[in-house]
Amino acid sequence: EDNARTPSGVSYMLENRETMLKMFPELFSHIRVQPVQQYPSMLRRSLEQCAPPAANGNRPTVAVLTPGIHNSAYFEHAFLADQMGVELVEGHDLRVTDGRIAMRTTRGYEPVDVIYRRIDDDFLDPLNFRSDSLLGVAGIFDIYRAGGITIANAPGTGIADDKAIYSYMPEIVEFYTGQKPILQNVPTWRCAEKDALAYVLDHLEELVVKEVHGSGGYGMLVGPAASKSELKSFRAKLMAKPEYYIAQPTLALSTVPVLTKTGLAPRHVDLRPFVLVSPEGVQVTPGGLTRVAMKKGSLVVNSSQGGGTKDTWVLKGD
């Protein structure tokens, strides 16, 4: 799946590397590991390159828009703003002024060119989306449509977060590039389709079933680990609202050693790479977030479900 709306976790990648450098400096003197510390500067350059025509000067003004201190990823919002050297703002710090979005400063309100937003679309503008939102900026979407500000990621990109969209990626890649994708997709059944639903219901105990709009490891079924009552309950959910779900085979995830109370033991992992896209090109960070399922035998690696993380090394070539 992809995380294109408010992608999280990059601060863990950076902090993991910082911790490893402090605890095991000798490793990095002998092993040619590519650095990841440049990610914040890469992110800032990528955002600046997306500045709208209304931007003034050679250095566009960038701000990180956060829901506030009660958001589970607030540390990351503050961390990235600090590392990029830009302002961290909340909705009440911004307002529409002379056809631009302006942020409150000690010198009054000053225009902002690019907003790295970390709030969902629904809460972005109470005049255009949820009227009860206290997190967004009234009128920001009108300024955005008029070309007065760049919002990254753009409103609407969350459609790529929908797990059903993942199943179309081979066709999307071929449509836009004229080439077959290099990486193969995990087989994915869209339960909204009659034949796919019939297959999933017949093989429910073998599959992993996820909500198309779900996140954090919630609302999913791991068939081989589910009880008979859980399978029965999920079968009813699938039959009631099949369009809410996709299914995939239960993959044999890779394992890495972790230190437990009884010594080293294997735990399942997955990898979240971080990719920046701007008019200047595509940059893939030479690292990533390796998420670890800390419970023995578990395939759920999400931090909200008790998962952990590990530093991820990409070695330099000769």
Side-chain angles (χ1 to χ4, degrees):
E1 65 189 77
D2 296 295
N3 293 272
R5 178 172 43 201
T6 56
S8 63
V10 74
S11 61
Y12 293 105
M13 175 189 76
L14 297 170
E15 290 291 349
N16 284 344
R17 178 60 56 84
E18 186 71 20
T19 300
M20 288 291 288
L21 284 167
K22 289 180 178 178
M23 295 188 68
F24 304 104
E26 70 281 0
L27 290 178
F28 295 89
S29 65
H30 294 96
I31 302 174
R32 292 161 53 84
V33 181
Q34 293 198 47
V36 295
Q37 295 91 328
Q38 74 278 19
Y39 178 86
S41 60
M42 290 168 54
L43 175 59
R44 176 164 182 163
R45 285 197 301 271
S46 181
L47 292 170
E48 290 175 342
Q49 290 161 0
C50 297
N56 295 319
N58 297 324
R59 196 73 187 264
T61 301
V62 178
V64 177
L65 177 59
T66 176
I69 61 174
H70 299 295
N71 185 268
S72 60
Y74 179 76
F75 164 77
E76 178 160 290
H77 306 164
F79 177 83
L80 287 176
D82 179 65
Q83 293 293 305
M84 285 193 289
V86 304
E87 297 297 329
L88 179 68
V89 298
E90 298 181 32
H92 57 76
D93 296 317
L94 304 173
R95 72 180 186 186
V96 176
T97 302
D98 298 327
R100 301 285 302 280
I101 296 298
M103 66 178 172
R104 182 171 53 186
T105 74
T106 55
R107 299 178 298 277
Y109 280 86
E110 297 186 358
V112 178
D113 301 308
V114 182
I115 287 180
Y116 179 42
R117 59 129 182 167
R118 296 297 296 261
I119 67 176
D120 289 345
D121 295 14
D122 289 352
F123 298 93
L124 189 58
D125 185 344
L127 297 183
N128 285 277
F129 302 112
R130 284 186 56 157
S131 59
D132 61 342
S133 172
L134 300 176
L135 303 177
V137 185
I140 189 174
F141 201 70
D142 297 325
I143 304 300
Y144 167 72
R145 287 188 291 194
I149 188 136
T150 295
I151 301 174
N153 286 327
T157 49
I159 190 171
D161 294 2
D162 187 303
K163 292 176 176 59
I165 295 296
Y166 169 81
S167 63
Y168 294 101
M169 288 310 299
E171 290 86 352
I172 292 172
V173 169
E174 189 169 3
F175 178 85
Y176 283 106
T177 68
Q179 300 176 357
K180 296 285 186 181
I182 297 172
L183 295 176
Q184 297 300 308
N185 250 31
V186 176
T188 303
W189 292 273
R190 298 184 288 266
C191 296
E193 299 172 4
K194 185 177 179 180
D195 290 346
L197 176 62
Y199 178 87
V200 172
L201 291 173
D202 287 343
H203 299 82
L204 195 57
E205 67 281 357
E206 305 169 10
L207 304 173
V208 173
V209 186
K210 305 176 184 178
E211 294 179 337
V212 296
H213 59 282
S215 62
Y218 296 103
M220 65 184 291
L221 174 82
V222 181
S227 65
K228 289 184 178 180
S229 62
E230 289 171 333
L231 289 169
K232 181 179 179 180
S233 174
F234 222 91
R235 187 180 300 275
K237 292 180 182 179
L238 276 170
M239 296 177 69
K241 294 182 177 179
E243 69 277 9
Y244 281 21
Y245 298 93
I246 58 97
Q248 297 172 330
T250 305
L251 300 179
L253 296 183
S254 299
T255 63
V256 298
V258 302
L259 187 61
T260 70
K261 293 180 179 179
T262 57
L264 292 175
R267 293 291 185 269
H268 291 294
V269 293
D270 77 355
L271 173 66
R272 174 177 291 180
F274 296 98
V275 183
L276 298 173
V277 182
S278 75
E280 301 298 319
V282 178
Q283 294 177 290
V284 181
T285 308
L289 178 65
T290 294
R291 303 188 299 174
V292 186
M294 300 304 291
K295 297 178 182 177
K296 183 179 179 179
S298 175
L299 299 175
V300 181
V301 298
N302 307 77
S303 59
S304 57
Q305 303 284 331
T309 65
K310 280 184 176 289
D311 190 19
T312 307
W313 291 4
V314 175
L315 303 183
K316 296 179 181 178
D318 294 330

